[in-house]
Amino acid sequence: MSLLELQNASMQFGGLRCVCGLSFSLGDNELVGLIGPNGAGKTTVFNMVTGVYPPTSGTVMFEGVKVSGQRPYRITGRGIARTFQNIRLFGSLSVFDNVRTACNMHLRHGISHALLRGRGYREEEKTIRAQVGELLEIFGLLEHRDRPAKSLPYGDQRRLEIVRALATRPKLLLLDEPAAGMNATEKNDLMRLIRFTREKFGLSILLVEHDMKIVMEICERILVLEYGRKIAEGSPREIREHPDVIAAYLGQEVA
Amino acid sequence: MRNPKFCLILAVILAAVVNGFSSVINPYYYDILITIGINVILAVSLNLVIGYTGQFSLGHAGFMAVGAYFSAWMTGRYGVLFGESAPATGAIYVLALILGGLAAAFAGLLVGSPSLRLRGDYLAIVTLGFSEIIKGVIQNAEPLGAQRGLGGIVQHTNFFWTFFGVALAVYGVLTLVHSTYGSGFLAVRDDEIAAEAMGINTTKYKVLAFVIGAFFAGLAGGLYAHFKQFIHPEGFNFLKSVDIVVMVILGGMGSTAGVCLAAALLTILPEVLRMLSDVPWLPEPARHLADNRMILYSLLLIVLMLNRPQGLFGRLRFGAGKP
């Protein structure tokens, strides 16, 4: 059974078909790239999978359970986490609190514990504090823990988004253009980080990225979208030589 | 806030001790003190909705009215249920305060659930409309005195109960927003889409903020009714809601310490302005400032927004340590 499976999923806004009959599946611990020219519907696929919009037709299955149509927070609860193309951190909260917020969904205790502050509460907060500290340490953000998230440098903000997503303990991580706006050194660090994340946390990653170098280098499998349709799927080598992909990116030769 | 429970108990003991001296305090100052306490409860609870959860509500006076009328009606009708001794009527009073708060919380749930799909100005207008509806219902409810107002309420509210309420409101809001559970409120304020993507049920948190805010507003209403002994629908109008919003904005949204300070300042300010009218050597317009204090308020807000948009206290918090 595959981890994530899209069955003939479509997304239509009025007369505009953003994604059209898309089917693909993703296995455990896979690293798959999703590419396509601007406006091909990559982010829409993410929004469909994470429940920001339910697909207008077709289904999204996660671990054999239909998740399309559920509220985003429920889908996250099942184990799908994401980052955003335009960074969406909790700007006024500290780096630490940003990650802590993502632990909210795993709380065993409710509001009464937060108000009464008994032993159970203190122990749980201590565990969360330790978990968050550990995550920040792994990703080298511990020194910034008390800074407001919006005051971080751009690259660190992108990294923090990944850390925050990981704090929800996902089985599948969706990264939406993590390399956007990064320089060459930062991109290299990012590639290392993505590989490391996948190994360390044993999760699957679906990556939307415009930077072909990154996608070709770290992904095992690549899906190509154009005008909301899947035009190719395969290994980086196959994709590089696929005539439809070349046509989509470079245009067709006029005979 | 190393140990919030300790602070709560300390505050309650302090309130009880000061209460012992209430007979030696000048009644005029005593009146101001209690009013400050009630306004602090209102402002701190509204700050949970506006400052911490980012939902702009203009209906806080409506929830206050629900609590005030419910508790006053209850003590009026069942005040001597357990006899006329002080502990018996006092118990009914406390019960009425709590039930008044719960009634307001229920009203908060009613208005919150459907209207929290709206954002910003739209939500403000719906909450404003809701509080006007509450006022309208009271104005036409004969058992609640309708347009004449409800009088003859026994005075139970004293320094102790008022500041017990203040301590509870401050404790409740601060423990919530500093806990991992309560981080959901702040996440909803900062970015709703991201909050939802982090597994936070944003609807639940918005409704919860409304319900808790309304509960304390109802509590404040009960305290107010049993202090002034007379309540009138016009006392809970739009201007009262705006007064509370101004306290929150002046104090700095999301800063409980600042909001407490602002509530105290804005309660004292009209009294100080009133004193000006007795100063003979002041020019005529300055003596009438008390009547025109709204002009001064707007001026104050403009100056504040220009110089300190983050509020009086800025990012400084209770139990600071953090920058």
Side-chain angles (χ1 to χ4, degrees):
Chain A
M1 184 185 65
S2 50
L3 187 67
L4 176 77
E5 195 173 355
L6 266 71
Q7 296 163 347
N8 212 11
S10 301
M11 186 71 229
Q12 199 168 346
F13 297 102
L16 182 70
R17 278 204 184 145
C18 278
V19 177
C20 194
L22 181 68
S23 301
F24 72 85
S25 66
L26 212 116
D28 284 323
N29 209 13
E30 255 195 306
L31 208 173
V32 176
L34 182 62
I35 62 171
N38 283 332
K42 303 174 299 274
T43 299
T44 308
V45 171
F46 270 27
N47 286 339
M48 245 162 40
V49 171
T50 54
V52 175
Y53 339 110
T56 34
S57 68
T59 49
V60 180
M61 310 280 281
F62 187 70
E63 292 186 306
V65 182
K66 182 176 169 234
V67 294
S68 42
Q70 290 190 6
R71 287 269 307 271
Y73 80 93
R74 287 203 179 275
I75 295 176
T76 309
R78 293 198 172 273
I80 302 181
R82 71 175 292 183
T83 64
F84 294 89
Q85 187 177 358
N86 42 347
I87 300 175
R88 281 181 176 273
L89 288 167
F90 305 125
S92 69
L93 301 190
S94 69
V95 168
F96 182 86
D97 283 341
N98 262 278
V99 184
R100 187 170 76 139
T101 305
C103 300
N104 181 301
M105 58 180 266
H106 292 294
L107 285 176
R108 274 171 292 122
H109 302 308
I111 185 169
S112 56
H113 273 77
L115 283 173
L116 297 174
R117 306 228 153 183
R119 240 184 65 208
Y121 167 83
R122 286 199 301 271
E123 273 164 18
E124 195 169 25
E125 289 284 308
K126 217 170 115 187
T127 321
I128 288 172
R129 225 163 267 281
Q131 282 169 355
V132 173
E134 198 184 333
L135 271 175
L136 288 176
E137 171 117 63
I138 293 173
F139 289 90
L141 287 167
L142 197 58
E143 54 180 321
H144 302 306
R145 53 170 286 167
D146 291 325
R147 280 175 67 175
K150 64 174 168 227
S151 76
L152 287 183
Y154 189 78
D156 285 349
Q157 288 195 19
R158 286 243 172 248
R159 207 142 32 117
L160 180 57
E161 265 215 323
I162 297 177
V163 178
R164 188 180 64 171
L166 287 173
T168 65
R169 291 180 229 152
K171 294 167 192 141
L172 170 64
L173 180 61
L174 309 178
L175 300 175
D176 200 348
E177 296 205 25
M182 284 187 171
N183 62 30
T185 337
E186 285 174 324
K187 278 178 184 167
N188 279 329
D189 287 346
L190 181 79
M191 278 195 272
R192 217 171 309 133
L193 187 86
I194 292 174
R195 280 205 194 99
F196 166 81
T197 304
R198 172 179 154 209
E199 245 130 79
K200 166 98 185 170
F201 298 91
L203 38 75
S204 302
I205 295 178
L206 182 61
L207 174 75
V208 162
E209 186 48 67
H210 268 303
D211 191 299
M212 283 306 137
K213 190 172 155 262
I214 293 183
V215 178
M216 293 295 169
E217 207 170 311
I218 62 173
C219 295
E220 290 133 17
R221 193 150 63 88
I222 296 175
L223 293 159
V224 189
L225 286 185
E226 195 197 11
Y227 297 120
R229 284 169 209 278
K230 183 167 79 176
I231 56 169
E233 181 176 359
S235 70
R237 251 235 331 265
E238 287 163 8
I239 293 299
R240 215 171 308 174
E241 286 155 11
H242 200 289
D244 289 349
V245 178
I246 296 170
Y249 272 92
L250 300 177
Q252 211 126 23
E253 218 172 301
V254 184
Chain B
M1 224 179 30
R2 287 271 168 264
N3 190 339
K5 260 196 286 192
F6 176 74
C7 294
L8 175 69
I9 293 165
L10 198 73
V12 172
I13 292 173
L14 201 69
V17 170
V18 175
N19 191 47
F21 294 100
S22 54
S23 57
V24 295
I25 303 174
N26 174 328
Y28 172 61
Y29 292 134
Y30 188 71
D31 190 299
I32 295 177
L33 271 178
I34 301 284
T35 313
I36 287 177
I38 291 168
N39 281 338
V40 167
I41 299 175
L42 288 168
V44 165
S45 58
L46 184 63
N47 192 29
L48 177 68
V49 181
I50 295 184
Y52 288 114
T53 319
Q55 306 300 311
F56 199 77
S57 163
L58 270 178
H60 222 50
F63 299 128
M64 185 189 177
V66 172
Y69 272 93
F70 187 93
S71 59
W73 170 80
M74 189 173 152
T75 51
R77 204 178 157 124
Y78 301 107
V80 289
L81 193 66
F82 301 143
E84 289 182 31
S85 65
T89 52
I92 295 281
Y93 161 66
V94 173
L95 194 67
L97 282 186
I98 295 169
L99 288 179
L102 289 177
F106 183 68
L109 185 71
L110 279 186
V111 64
S113 319
S115 58
L116 285 172
R117 297 160 188 277
L118 306 170
R119 279 154 216 259
D121 312 351
Y122 304 103
L123 180 65
I125 287 172
V126 170
T127 50
L128 168 65
F130 186 76
S131 78
E132 288 298 310
I133 290 172
I134 291 178
K135 206 180 83 183
V137 168
I138 294 170
Q139 278 171 335
N140 291 291
E142 206 45 51
L144 298 177
Q147 285 285 23
R148 299 182 305 278
L150 189 58
I153 307 165
V154 186
Q155 189 172 44
H156 282 291
T157 300
N158 55 21
F159 189 88
F160 173 72
W161 289 117
T162 307
F163 282 84
F164 188 65
V166 170
L168 272 185
V170 172
Y171 172 87
V173 170
L174 280 183
T175 48
L176 269 184
V177 298
H178 284 283
S179 68
T180 302
Y181 183 85
S183 60
F185 293 115
L186 309 173
V188 169
R189 175 192 66 189
D190 274 15
D191 193 322
E192 237 176 87
I193 291 175
E196 190 87 11
M198 293 304 125
I200 287 163
N201 184 349
T202 51
T203 312
K204 184 183 94 178
Y205 274 95
K206 285 196 267 183
V207 172
L208 196 63
F210 245 75
V211 167
I212 296 172
F215 173 81
F216 282 113
L219 186 75
L223 288 166
Y224 175 83
H226 291 87
F227 183 67
K228 297 286 182 193
Q229 297 173 273
F230 173 78
I231 45 179
H232 190 272
E234 282 307 322
F236 307 101
N237 61 8
F238 170 60
L239 287 178
K240 179 69 193 168
S241 290
V242 171
D243 268 346
I244 311 168
V245 171
V246 171
M247 287 170 195
V248 172
I249 293 173
L250 195 69
M253 291 195 258
S255 155
T256 300
V259 164
C260 290
L261 184 75
L265 282 180
L266 287 182
T267 314
I268 297 169
L269 188 66
E271 303 301 326
V272 175
L273 295 178
R274 218 188 311 267
M275 282 177 205
L276 288 184
S277 61
D278 298 332
V279 183
W281 45 267
L282 272 178
E284 192 68 8
R287 287 208 245 159
H288 296 297
L289 255 178
D291 307 326
N292 302 318
R293 65 174 190 279
M294 281 299 164
I295 298 174
L296 199 73
Y297 279 12
S298 17
L299 215 70
L300 202 66
L301 276 180
I302 292 169
V303 171
L304 190 88
M305 286 300 116
L306 286 176
N307 293 303
R308 280 192 77 79
Q310 68 276 51
L312 285 178
F313 266 44
R315 280 193 60 80
L316 200 70
R317 305 278 145 92
F318 268 146
K322 288 178 198 167

